[in-house]
């Protein structure tokens, strides 16, 4: 406030040097001009004479007051006239021709510069004054409302027959209405004619084909828009080609109709009323039609109000009348925008809530969907206020910036809806293919069980102790009917045919399951690829949108710099943005390829040899799947470093000192952390030698378990009891891998001393052949089950060793199945397992004692079989 009060004094003092001669001439009497002339005439003779003349001119108090008044008047006149700064230097050359005028010219130039600065300061009015001026101008504009009505009444007069070649107003309005109806009818007919192709394309919204279907639908919309353009411009050329008022108004109306439908194409692409499968927004048909109707109404009203303003300008209405029309138009349009936002708040919120490529909205999207109306209403009010300010001050930079920002945001929402639609369709395709794969796998399992049951021989149930005759009872007499050889052959042929049909059905089901599995993997890979491309496009679109918003607000909204300066800055920043975008795209490519191999090896999760498939764990992964985590981290670091160095070089920063410093730091770390370097180098060589893979069961001396993962310096082993061992690579030492290539399983069983070894060998061989035909086990065998021989002889039993060779995926599963079949089939062939009982012969006895001893022996054999099965299960569980 103090500076504002002292500003006139500063202005007066700054103008003193330039206005002193004229002020003296206005304030003093006759001796003053004479003294001045004397001083001027004495100037060529020397400075002493000039100083004497100046000293010989005393000022009284009245003269000093008159001098101050003259200075104030001079300053006021200069500020009112605001002469350009170049006026004073233009008068300098004649003065410079004088021998002693150099100093005076310099003084005049300095005074002119000071004048320009002071006038610039004086031109900066306070905000309160600007606000008062704007309000006064607004009042003046609103007072012109009767004049606006009067100017509107001039429009029909200008459309009279006398000024338009004899065509009456009624005929013009009928012709114009007919032209608008024809244009809209052409659009409606084209939409009706293309209804079939549009419905067909909407039904093709499946997976990757949806991209081409959506593009084809957009091309059909372009065809409809082209037909509308031809119709409107044809009628303009044929019926309204001229400079008469009717022709110009007809051209304006038909062109506005075309632009109205052009803007609606954007909402038609996003909402697709009547074409639910092709709709980009996640809203139902009723909500889509509501948004489309409100958008159509707002755009139509905005274009109509703009046309009315243009008509007023065309008939040369006063400026305040046009401003009054703009104020009224702004109030109407702002109210309509707020009403439309309130009416469609829920459908638009649902639309925003569905914008997510990952299947569920993120926190930012959810916040925008919840509070978008709270943000939209202030934005619409700000748009209206900026429009009013621009109409009253003839500066509409903020209004233009807000309007362009809304266009950019609308384009972003449309593009995001398109990408989200494609990703949703891809996820739906993957879900359907995965469901088909699960059904095919279940059918294959059922077919395999049926085939296994059909191939199982029919065996009579053994006679248990409960079925034996009681003590003292007479043995029952069994009557056996004679067997028909022809019936036996027919039964055997029917069983063989059933076995073959079941095997063929199982093979077909397995083939179909493999095809569905391959289709599911292909669909997943395609979905991941399209999502990666969409993410890259999203980043590119965001960068371009950010650049546009900065340009809009810096150049138009705030006016911080000129367009040429912004273009120079943008051209310098463009390579930096391109480098960041290229780095992001490279990382997306790395993420896609590494993720694809990781997904293919995902079924080989961490598990030790012998893990059952029913437990949810599978065999070891491939070598590529094992190396992918390390390769992924290495490529990520390489991309970050290369992009960072390139970006710094593009910005003009010398990167050689950074590289040298990093080298020195790396050398210091290598010398100070020798153990760390040893661990890293050892891990690299272990991986190069392919000593282990993720999911394999290894023994490194200090610990054993399944390889669950590793880092740059350590390995993680999962023990079969659940513990995790973390071992640095430098301490691993010798590694024993139990899960590589093949596994030979050997196990021993105890039989009685009188066992027929040849019969045992043939029976076990038969069991091995049956297991080779089992659909679930045949792919695992490399060598069939067979008897290796007698391993030992003890007091009351023979210890016989058996072996087989299988893949190292689930060997204990195969061993449990083999023992189960042997326990079931060997007693049927008269081959008994040994027990730990010592035989004792009694001295005497009767028939009851013999029958009880037989029953006790049968129960003992059953218990032994159960003990063997339990032992086999425990061995399988402990590995």
């Amino acid at each position: 406030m103090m500076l504002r009060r002292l500003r006139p004094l500063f202005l007066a003092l700054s103008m003193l040097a330039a206005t002193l001669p004229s002020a003296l001439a206005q304030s003093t009497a006759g001796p003053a001009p004479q003294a001045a002339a004397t001083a001027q005439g004495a100037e060529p003779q020397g400075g002493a004479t000039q100083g004497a003349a100046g000293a010989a001119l005393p000022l009284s108090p009245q003269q000093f007051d008159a001098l101050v008044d003259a200075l104030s008047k001079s300053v006021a006149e200069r500020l009112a006239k605001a002469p350009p700064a170049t006026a004073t230097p233009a008068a300098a050359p004649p003065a410079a021709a004088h021998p002693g005028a150099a100093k005076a010219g310099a003084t005049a130039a300095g005074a002119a510069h000071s004048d320009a600065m002071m006038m610039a300061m004086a031109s900066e009015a306070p905000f309160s004054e600007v606000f008062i001026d704007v309000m006064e101008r607004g009042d003046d504009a609103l007072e012109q409302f009767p004049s606006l009505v009067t100017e509107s009444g001039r429009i029909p007069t200008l459309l009279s027959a006398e000024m338009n070649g004899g065509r009456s107003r009624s005929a013009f309005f009928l012709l114009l209405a007919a032209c608008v109806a024809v244009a809209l009818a052409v659009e409606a007919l084209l939409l009706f004619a293309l209804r079939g192709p549009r419905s067909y394309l909407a039904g093709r919204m499946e997976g990757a084909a949806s991209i081409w279907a959506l593009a084809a639908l957009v091309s059909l919309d372009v065809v409809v828009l082209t037909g509308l353009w031809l119709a409107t411009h044809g009628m303009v050329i044929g019926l309204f080609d001229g400079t008469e008022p009717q022709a110009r108004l007809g051209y304006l109306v038909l062109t506005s109709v075309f632009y109205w439908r052009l803007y609606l194409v954007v909402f038609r692409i996003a909402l697709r009323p009547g074409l639910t499968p092709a709709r980009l927004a996640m809203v139902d048909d009723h909500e889509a039609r509501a948004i489309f109707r409100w958008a159509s109404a707002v755009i139509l009203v905005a274009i109509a109000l703009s046309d009315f303003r243009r008509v007023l300008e065309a008939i040369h209405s006063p400026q305040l009348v046009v401003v009054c029309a703009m104020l009224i138009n702004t109030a109407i349009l702002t109210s309509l925008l707020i009403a439309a936002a309130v009416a469609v708040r829920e459908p638009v919120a649902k639309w925003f809530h569905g914008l997510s490529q990952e299947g569920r909205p993120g926190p930012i999207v959810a916040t925008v969907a919840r509070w978008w109306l709270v943000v939209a209403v202030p934005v619409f009010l700000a748009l209206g206020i900026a429009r009013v300010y621009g109409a009253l001050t003839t500066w509409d930079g903020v209004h233009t910036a807000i309007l362009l920002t809304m266009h950019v945001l609308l384009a972003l929402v449309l593009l995001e809806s398109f990408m989200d639609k494609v990703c949703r369709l891809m996820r739906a395709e993957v879900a359907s293919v995965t469901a088909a794969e699960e059904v095919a796998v279940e059918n294959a399992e059922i077919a395999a069980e049926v085939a296994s049951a059909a191939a199982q021989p029919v065996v009579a149930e053994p006679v248990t102790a409960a079925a034996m005759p009681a003590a003292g009872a007479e043995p029952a007499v069994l009557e056996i009917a004679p067997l028909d050889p022809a019936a036996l052959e027919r039964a055997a042929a029917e069983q063989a045919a059933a076995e073959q049909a079941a095997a063929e059905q199982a093979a077909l089901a397995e083939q179909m399951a493999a095809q569905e599995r391959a289709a599911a993997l292909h669909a997943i890979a395609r979905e991941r690829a399209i999502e990666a491309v969409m993410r890259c496009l999203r980043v590119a679109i965001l960068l371009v949108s950010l650049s546009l918003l900065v340009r809009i607000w810096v150049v138009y909204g705030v006016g911080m710099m000129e367009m040429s300066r912004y273009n120079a800055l943008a051209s310098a920043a463009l390579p930096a943005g391109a480098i960041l975008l290229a780095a992001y795209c490279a990382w997306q490519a790395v993420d896609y390829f590494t993720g694809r191999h990781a997904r293919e090896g995902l079924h080989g999760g961490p598990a030790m040899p012998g893990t059952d498939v029913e437990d949810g764990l599978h065999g070891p992964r491939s070598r590529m799947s094992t190396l992918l985590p390390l390769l992924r981290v290495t490529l990520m670091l390489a991309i970050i470093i290369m992009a960072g160095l390139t970006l710094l070089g593009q910005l003009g920063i010398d990167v050689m000192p950074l590289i040298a410093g990093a080298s020195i730091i790396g050398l210091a770390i290598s010398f100070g952390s020798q153990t760390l370097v040893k661990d890293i180098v050892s891990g690299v060589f272990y991986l190069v030698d392919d000593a282990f893979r993720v999911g394999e069961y290894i023994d490194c001396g200090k610990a054993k378990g399944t390889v669950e993962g590793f880092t740059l310096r350590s390995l993680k082993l999962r023990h079969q009891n659940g513990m995790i061992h973390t071992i640095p690579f430098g301490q691993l030492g010798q590694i024993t891998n139990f899960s590589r290539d093949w596994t030979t399983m050997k196990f021993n069983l105890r039989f009685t001393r009188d066992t027929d070894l040849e019969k045992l060998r043939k029976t076990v061989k038969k069991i091995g052949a049956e297991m080779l035909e089992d659909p679930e086990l045949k792919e695992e065998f490399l060598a069939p089950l067979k008897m290796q021989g007698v391993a030992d002889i003890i007091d009351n039993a023979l210890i016989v060793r058996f072996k087989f060779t299988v893949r190292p995926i689930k060997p204990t599963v195969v061993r449990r199945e083999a023992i189960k079949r042997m326990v079931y089939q060997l007693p049927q062939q008269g081959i008994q397992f040994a027990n730990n009982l010592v035989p004792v012969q009694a001295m005497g006895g009767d028939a009851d004692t013999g029958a009880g001893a037989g029953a006790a022996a049968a129960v003992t054999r059953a218990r032994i079989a159960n003990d063997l099965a339990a032992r086999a299960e425990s061995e399988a569980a402990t590995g």
Side-chain angles (χ1 to χ4, degrees):
M1 185 64 68
M2 183 64 66
L3 292 176
R4 186 177 302 170
R5 292 178 179 178
L6 295 178
R7 180 179 293 179
L9 179 60
F10 293 156
L11 294 176
L13 293 177
S14 64
M15 301 296 291
L16 179 61
T19 60
L20 183 59
S22 60
L24 290 175
Q26 295 177 4
S27 61
T28 58
Q34 183 179 0
T38 304
Q40 185 176 0
E43 183 179 358
Q45 298 178 2
T49 306
Q50 182 180 3
L57 193 62
L59 294 177
S60 63
Q62 293 80 10
Q63 291 175 343
F64 182 78
D65 293 338
L67 176 61
V68 172
D69 294 337
L71 287 174
S72 299
K73 293 179 181 180
S74 178
V75 170
E77 291 176 357
R78 291 195 176 215
L79 291 177
K81 295 179 181 180
T86 57
T88 302
H98 205 279
K103 184 176 180 180
T107 305
H113 182 68
S114 177
D115 292 347
M117 292 182 62
M118 293 299 104
M119 285 184 290
M121 292 176 59
S123 63
E124 295 179 1
F127 176 76
S128 59
E129 297 179 4
V130 174
F131 179 75
I132 293 173
D133 293 340
V134 170
M135 294 299 295
E136 291 178 353
R137 185 173 173 82
D139 293 338
D140 296 339
L142 292 178
E143 290 176 356
Q144 298 296 321
F145 183 76
S147 300
L148 176 61
V149 176
T150 303
E151 292 294 326
S152 302
R154 289 177 51 200
I155 298 176
T157 305
L158 297 175
L159 299 177
S160 61
E162 293 80 8
M163 302 181 63
N164 294 277
R167 185 165 55 188
S168 63
R169 284 192 298 267
S170 58
F172 166 72
F173 283 119
L174 288 176
L175 179 61
L176 184 60
C179 290
V180 173
V182 168
L184 298 178
V186 167
E187 182 188 26
L189 288 175
L190 288 175
L191 290 174
F192 180 79
L194 297 175
R195 185 178 57 180
R198 288 160 60 89
S199 300
Y200 172 77
L201 292 174
R204 298 284 296 173
M205 297 295 169
E206 297 178 357
S210 61
I211 299 177
W212 307 110
L214 290 173
L217 281 174
V218 173
S219 64
L220 292 181
D221 293 330
V222 173
V223 170
V224 174
L225 193 63
T226 303
L228 178 63
W229 181 84
L230 292 175
T232 54
H233 282 68
M235 288 183 290
V236 166
I237 294 174
L239 301 175
F240 302 103
D241 187 13
T243 58
E244 298 84 2
Q246 290 184 1
R248 296 176 64 182
L249 182 59
Y251 170 79
L252 180 62
V253 171
L254 290 178
T255 306
S256 299
V257 169
F258 171 75
Y259 282 112
W260 172 39
R261 309 311 293 180
L262 174 63
Y263 279 109
L264 281 182
V265 167
V266 177
F267 291 93
R268 181 180 290 116
I269 292 174
L271 299 172
R272 295 294 177 192
L275 293 176
T276 303
R279 185 172 300 132
L280 301 183
M282 290 189 64
V283 294
D284 56 29
D285 195 66
H286 176 71
E287 295 169 338
R289 292 182 185 276
I291 299 175
F292 189 80
R293 284 194 297 268
W294 276 103
S296 177
V298 170
I299 295 172
L300 179 60
V301 171
I303 293 177
L305 295 176
S306 178
D307 289 346
F308 179 68
R309 178 184 58 82
R310 292 182 181 181
V311 169
L312 291 178
E313 292 176 350
I315 64 176
H316 304 290
S317 299
Q319 183 64 29
L320 285 178
V321 174
V322 177
V323 172
C324 179
M326 293 176 64
L327 296 181
I328 296 174
N329 295 349
T330 303
I332 295 174
L333 187 58
T334 304
S335 303
L336 185 60
L337 282 172
I338 295 176
V342 173
V344 298
R345 59 187 182 276
E346 294 182 358
V348 174
K350 189 177 180 181
W351 183 359
F352 288 158
H353 195 270
L355 295 179
S356 174
Q357 294 187 11
E358 302 298 332
R360 58 184 180 276
I364 298 178
V365 174
T367 303
V368 171
R370 184 177 181 180
W371 301 103
W372 81 270
L373 184 61
V374 179
V375 178
V377 171
V379 169
F380 294 154
L381 292 176
L383 180 64
I385 294 173
R387 182 58 176 164
V388 170
Y389 182 80
L392 296 176
T393 61
T394 66
W395 183 75
D396 57 349
V398 176
H399 171 263
T400 304
I402 295 177
L403 195 61
L404 293 177
T405 301
M406 292 177 61
H407 282 77
V408 172
L409 294 178
L410 181 61
L412 279 177
V413 171
L414 180 63
L415 293 174
E416 185 68 21
S417 300
F418 171 77
M419 293 186 290
D420 177 70
K421 177 69 173 181
V422 174
C423 293
R424 278 189 279 116
L425 293 174
M426 293 300 302
R427 287 192 295 269
E429 182 187 19
V430 170
S432 62
V433 173
T434 304
E437 177 196 4
E438 293 177 355
V439 172
V441 170
E442 292 179 359
N443 294 335
E445 293 177 354
I446 294 174
E449 293 177 359
V450 171
S452 177
Q456 192 73 21
V458 180
V459 181
E461 293 293 334
V463 180
T464 61
M468 294 182 180
E474 296 182 358
V477 178
L478 298 178
E479 296 182 358
I480 300 176
L483 297 177
D484 186 7
L488 291 176
E489 291 180 359
R490 287 194 303 271
E494 291 177 358
Q495 183 178 2
E499 293 178 2
Q500 183 178 1
E504 292 177 355
Q505 188 69 22
L508 181 59
E510 184 66 26
Q511 183 180 1
M512 293 180 62
Q515 293 177 356
E516 294 293 340
R517 189 178 299 110
L521 291 176
H522 180 68
I524 293 174
R526 186 168 52 185
E527 179 203 6
R528 299 294 184 238
I530 292 178
E531 286 185 353
V533 173
M534 292 298 176
R535 283 192 289 269
C536 294
L537 288 177
R538 173 187 288 179
V539 172
I541 291 171
L542 288 178
L543 290 177
V544 173
S545 302
L546 182 62
S547 175
L548 288 176
L549 292 177
V550 171
R551 176 180 178 178
I552 289 169
W553 284 99
V554 169
V555 177
Y556 299 104
V558 184
M560 293 178 58
M561 62 179 65
E562 299 292 335
M563 181 62 71
S564 58
R565 185 178 177 186
Y566 174 79
N567 291 334
L569 182 63
S571 62
L574 181 61
I579 291 170
L580 294 177
L581 180 60
Y584 183 79
C585 293
W587 167 245
Q588 288 297 323
V590 171
D591 181 67
Y592 167 70
F593 286 107
T594 55
R596 179 178 180 180
H597 287 285
R599 285 187 297 271
E600 291 177 355
L602 192 62
H603 295 285
M608 60 183 180
T611 303
D612 198 352
V613 179
E614 289 78 8
D615 296 334
L617 301 176
H618 303 269
R621 299 186 184 181
S622 63
R623 185 178 185 184
M624 178 61 70
S625 300
T626 301
L627 295 176
L628 277 180
L630 183 61
L631 180 63
R632 182 188 178 93
V633 174
T634 304
L635 291 177
M636 181 184 67
L637 294 177
I639 291 173
I640 293 176
I641 293 173
M642 292 179 63
L645 294 178
T646 307
L647 183 60
L648 292 177
Q650 183 64 34
L651 295 178
I653 301 175
D654 189 8
V655 298
M656 294 305 297
L658 297 176
I659 297 176
S663 302
I664 294 174
I665 293 175
L667 187 62
I669 292 176
S670 64
F671 279 111
S673 304
Q674 296 183 7
T675 304
L676 177 63
V677 174
K678 177 183 177 182
D679 294 336
I680 295 175
V681 174
S682 300
V684 170
F685 281 103
Y686 275 121
L687 294 177
V688 170
D689 293 339
D690 196 19
F692 53 82
R693 300 174 185 173
V694 175
E696 292 184 340
Y697 189 83
I698 65 173
D699 184 2
C700 61
K702 296 184 178 181
K704 61 174 63 177
T706 304
V707 179
E708 196 165 85
F710 57 88
T711 60
L712 288 175
R713 64 171 297 272
S714 62
L715 176 70
K716 292 183 179 180
L717 296 180
R718 172 78 68 176
H719 193 265
Q720 56 263 25
N721 294 333
M723 301 87 71
I724 291 183
H725 303 287
T726 301
I727 307 171
F729 284 119
Q731 301 179 13
L732 278 181
Q734 179 182 351
I735 291 179
T736 303
N737 196 328
F738 294 92
S739 303
R740 189 62 59 88
D741 299 333
W742 49 268
T743 299
T744 297
M745 298 292 295
K746 297 181 180 180
F747 58 94
N748 298 334
L749 293 178
R750 294 157 49 92
F751 296 93
T752 58
R753 294 286 296 269
D754 57 348
T755 299
D756 187 352
L757 296 178
E758 184 63 21
K759 187 176 182 181
L760 175 62
R761 184 186 66 80
K762 292 181 179 180
T763 305
V764 171
K765 183 177 180 180
K766 181 179 178 182
I767 294 173
E770 293 175 357
M771 294 180 69
L772 288 177
E773 298 297 330
D774 193 325
E776 296 182 359
L777 301 175
K778 63 180 181 181
E779 299 295 336
E780 302 295 330
F781 275 99
L782 298 178
L785 173 66
K786 61 182 179 180
M787 188 183 76
Q788 192 172 4
V790 178
D792 196 4
I793 301 176
I794 56 178
D795 294 335
N796 60 344
L798 297 177
I799 300 177
V800 183
R801 177 169 296 174
F802 305 90
K803 73 172 184 177
F804 58 87
T805 302
V806 293
R807 302 182 187 276
I809 304 298
K810 45 182 181 180
T812 55
V813 175
V814 180
R815 183 175 64 180
R816 288 199 297 268
E817 181 65 22
I819 293 176
K820 183 179 71 173
R821 297 193 182 203
M822 292 171 67
V823 169
Y824 182 73
Q825 296 186 22
L826 290 181
Q828 297 176 2
Q829 303 296 330
I831 301 173
Q832 303 298 327
F833 292 97
N835 53 51
N836 294 326
L837 298 178
V838 178
V840 178
Q841 184 176 2
M843 300 299 295
D846 52 8
D848 295 338
T849 304
V859 174
T860 301
R861 286 195 298 271
R863 187 180 61 188
I864 293 173
N866 294 333
D867 292 341
L868 289 174
R871 185 183 301 174
E873 292 290 339
S874 62
E875 291 178 358
T878 57

